[in-house]
Amino acid sequence: MIRTFESYHPKIAHSAWVDATALVIGDVELAEDVSVWPMTVVRGDVHYIRVGPRSNIQDGAVVHVAHAGDYSPGYPTIIGADVTVGHKAIVHACTVEDACLIGMAATIMDGAVLGSESILGAGSLVPPGKELPGGHLYVGSPAKAVRELTDEEREFLRYSARNYVSVKNRHRASS
């Protein structure tokens, strides 16, 4: 379901795909070949959300923002190109740079930044305001760098995004 919130209507590229059971609300832009999978919520009501080309937000994930107020400056959510957001992940009011993989049930909190070409392990937590440099595998709660990614792992990040574009196209064709 694609819903307007106040004067904000989601902008979805022609080649993007949103599953019929997903919910996209408000000030949201989905770039070319983005896919939003079943039971996912992308809610841009009190700030904006931008999702870059070829990124995928998998089943049951939640993408939200933080409003500006007495206790917070407010944060949008920006997801770069070629990002894979795993099942049941929470991406909240943060920035995820290009070619990252966010593991299943991982959480990234307000004002945090996950640097490009990074893997955030399943169930990991990036606390508010934490900036994680690119090129590493992060695990734990709070997330800590375990090691640098190999060249093969860096290529896998882009492969994952390309694969989800292919699967998205198969779903579009059968709808």
Side-chain angles (χ1 to χ4, degrees), residues 48-109:
Y48 64 88
I49 296 170
R50 303 294 180 262
V51 181
R54 299 169 305 281
S55 290
N56 59 90
I57 305 170
Q58 297 176 17
D59 312 58
V62 175
V63 180
H64 192 227
V65 293
H67 76 283
D70 293 343
Y71 302 99
S72 170
Y75 298 99
T77 295
I78 301 168
I79 297 172
D82 301 308
V83 172
T84 295
V85 177
H87 312 286
K88 294 181 69 178
I90 299 172
V91 180
H92 196 272
C94 61
T95 298
V96 178
E97 295 180 349
D98 297 343
C100 289
L101 186 148
I102 300 168
M104 292 179 274
T107 300
I108 307 176
M109 294 298 299

Side-chain angles (χ1 to χ4, degrees), residues 12 16 29 32 34 42 65-67 71 77-78 80 95 108 115 119 133 153-154 160 170 172:
I12 301 172
E29 292 183 13
E32 300 80 23
V34 165
V42 181
V65 293
H67 76 283
Y71 302 99
T77 295
I78 301 168
T95 298
I108 307 176
I119 297 175
E153 288 168 325
R154 289 173 191 257
S160 178
R170 291 169 56 199
R172 283 178 61 128

